[in-house]
Amino acid sequence: MKGIKIFSPATVANLACGFDVIGLALEIPGDEIFLYKSNNPGIRINKIIHGTSFSLPSDPKKNVVFVALQSFLKKYQQQKFDKERRIGFEIELIKNIHPGSGIGSSAASAAGVVFGANILLGKPFNTMQLIRFAMEGERLASGTAHADNVAPAIMGGVTLVRSYKPLDITKLHTPNELWVSIIHPQIEIKTSDAREILKQKILMTDAIRQWGNIGALVAGLYQEDYELISRSLEDVIVEPIRAMLIPAFYELKIRCKEIGALGGGISGSGPSVFMLSKGNHTAKAVTKIMNCVYSSLKVDYKTYTSPINKQGVKWSEIF
Ligand code: HSE
């Protein structure tokens, strides 16, 4: 096999209470990647197709796909999986996820290339190793190698990072009727900036409330207890600081919950806002309310309604 087409999904990190540890994968949107194996050593990004409203680093070495794949190749060659060692990759990237959107743009691209390279080379690496390579892309993009976007992108469903050192990630149960509504205000918030403003120390009382919520959210997912999920979607640590970055954040939350959303919050580091709902019908009504709230603001936006993507990144064609 010489070439592969990959679809790598957008993701929602944090899920309110689970800063840096919980994330889920969406069915839409997602980045598309054409990845070709080559006998010419090195990594070449031949084409990037994206919307006009954003730019990507002109130096390919500053692109997350380059960094993630480089870390993959380094390990591959160290382990001498490839006897010839003359191995390279050509990449064409179709960026459907806006960088700085808060729905895992860098994670989707990084996860996609390492997943594709692994298939092309006969699966030398396991899931946890792929996550590690993709995390190098996150380190470049945000200054921190957080895994709460790349893990759900690669594993699908809802994932939980139990520990970073050592890396220990588990896939949680996804209730069938759980849907996600997203609004992406077209303003850019860099994850590095949104992390910079956070406090490095938190109150014990806040910590207690937060870990209670995380535990209950996990229980709610397994028990398919939508009321418990709803009560657990509360963030007393990060959201109060980041909310000011997002126009009409609290109005969005209130109006979406009034129409039946279980709850939600800032998607990753924002500016996207997510809401969870029980069922497609309610999720669509919630997305409609998001549109309504933003139609009166002077901010462009996009909305999505998606079920949870249980599979995660996938490949669909070979050449
Ligand atoms: N957990 C990360 C953050 C996700 O909130 O900074 C970034 O998408």
Side-chain angles (χ1 to χ4, degrees):
M1 203 193 300
K2 289 240 168 63
I4 194 166
K5 183 185 176 190
I6 301 140
F7 173 85
S8 191
T11 46
V12 174
N14 300 341
L15 282 198
C17 51
F19 179 70
D20 273 1
V21 296
I22 299 187
L24 61 76
L26 299 169
E27 288 284 349
I28 51 154
D31 284 350
E32 292 163 285
I33 300 159
F34 291 85
L35 184 70
Y36 305 89
K37 192 166 82 171
S38 151
N39 291 331
N40 190 3
I43 299 162
R44 287 161 295 281
I45 305 174
N46 295 338
K47 203 191 279 177
I48 303 180
I49 299 170
H50 61 80
T52 48
S53 57
F54 62 91
S55 60
L56 289 163
S58 51
D59 178 357
K61 292 187 176 157
K62 296 210 170 109
N63 193 303
V64 296
V65 294
F66 185 95
V67 174
L69 203 46
Q70 191 178 43
S71 129
F72 174 104
L73 260 185
K74 196 172 156 201
K75 189 81 174 170
Y76 184 78
Q77 284 168 341
Q78 269 172 6
Q79 299 194 356
K80 295 197 180 100
F81 279 115
D82 184 20
K83 290 175 190 74
E84 40 176 316
R85 290 175 68 104
R86 288 184 57 79
I87 188 132
F89 288 103
E90 318 270 339
I91 304 166
E92 289 170 20
L93 176 60
I94 304 170
K95 283 293 311 164
N96 297 318
I97 314 173
H98 202 299
S101 56
I103 47 172
S105 174
S106 50
S109 299
V113 283
V114 299
F115 172 82
N118 202 42
I119 303 272
L120 286 175
L121 298 183
K123 298 198 181 164
F125 296 118
N126 63 31
T127 302
M128 217 47 61
Q129 288 173 303
L130 295 183
I131 290 172
R132 240 183 255 280
F133 302 137
M135 284 166 71
E136 289 308 313
E138 295 294 64
R139 192 191 304 282
L140 175 79
S142 71
T144 313
H146 59 90
D148 49 345
N149 290 108
V150 290
I154 290 176
M155 297 170 86
V158 188
T159 58
L160 170 73
V161 183
R162 187 202 64 81
S163 147
Y164 275 89
K165 280 184 188 168
L167 194 61
D168 184 358
I169 303 176
T170 188
K171 186 168 173 176
L172 305 173
H173 176 72
T174 303
N176 272 330
E177 290 185 86
L178 207 54
W179 278 69
V180 191
S181 304
I182 302 272
I183 182 160
H184 170 208
Q186 307 281 294
I187 50 174
E188 188 179 349
I189 296 179
K190 288 205 171 95
T191 299
S192 50
D193 294 340
R195 295 181 78 89
E196 193 107 306
I197 58 173
L198 300 179
K199 290 183 197 152
Q200 290 307 310
K201 290 191 176 151
I202 57 169
L203 289 174
M204 181 63 101
T205 46
D206 288 342
I208 292 167
R209 195 159 177 109
Q210 200 88 350
W211 61 56
N213 277 322
I214 296 171
L217 177 58
V218 174
L221 293 171
Y222 276 89
Q223 293 164 15
E224 306 215 357
D225 181 338
Y226 293 90
E227 286 305 313
L228 185 57
I229 292 171
S230 172
R231 294 198 299 283
S232 312
L233 290 169
E234 178 191 52
D235 172 8
V236 295
I237 295 170
V238 175
E239 181 182 291
I241 299 169
R242 285 182 173 171
M244 64 174 181
L245 303 173
I246 300 163
F249 175 74
Y250 289 111
E251 188 186 345
L252 265 178
K253 261 182 91 168
I254 292 166
R255 297 277 302 277
C256 290
K257 284 180 91 164
E258 275 170 3
I259 200 84
L262 299 170
I266 303 169
S267 176
S269 55
S272 290
V273 174
F274 80 96
M275 286 286 152
L276 298 185
S277 296
K278 184 180 178 190
N280 177 8
H281 185 74
T282 308
K284 283 189 176 148
V286 168
T287 310
K288 208 167 156 190
I289 286 292
M290 290 174 153
N291 279 288
C292 228
V293 171
Y294 258 64
S295 59
S296 60
L297 303 182
K298 287 196 178 88
V299 180
D300 289 338
Y301 62 92
K302 268 189 189 155
T303 52
Y304 305 94
T305 311
S306 173
I308 293 175
N309 176 342
K310 290 185 184 169
Q311 185 185 352
V313 60
K314 60 184 179 197
W315 57 280
S316 59
E317 283 174 38
I318 53 170
F319 305 90

